[in-house]
Amino acid sequence: MFSATSILVFIVIVNAAAFVLFMLDKHLAQERMRRVPESTLLLVALVGGSAGAIAGQQYWRHKTQKEPFRTMLFCIPIVQALFLAWIIMR
């Protein structure tokens, strides 16, 4: 199927992308330009970039008070952990 190395590389890349997307969205917000859609930020977090997204959110202090976005973002790692547990127990 997939090697551990390829999975690790994917996780690193998607987390880096999530972190950068939060930086980009913060910059675009400050410049009053067209923003990165919240759905895109959440999707990148969901496909494996939750750590990078949360780190970016906290580091850039961006969307830390925005609800329901904040709650959805913090629920994603829970969903990922449950999915991983389900995969392991199959």
Side-chain angles (χ1 to χ4, degrees), residues 3-13:
S3 72
T5 304
S6 63
I7 292 170
L8 182 62
V9 168
F10 173 79
I11 295 296
V12 168
I13 289 170

Side-chain angles (χ1 to χ4, degrees), residues 33-60:
M33 296 175 70
R34 188 176 179 120
R35 308 271 303 275
V36 176
E38 287 183 355
S39 59
T40 301
L41 296 172
L42 291 171
L43 180 63
V44 171
L46 184 63
V47 298
S50 58
I54 292 169
Q57 179 190 44
Q58 298 302 308
Y59 185 81
W60 302 111

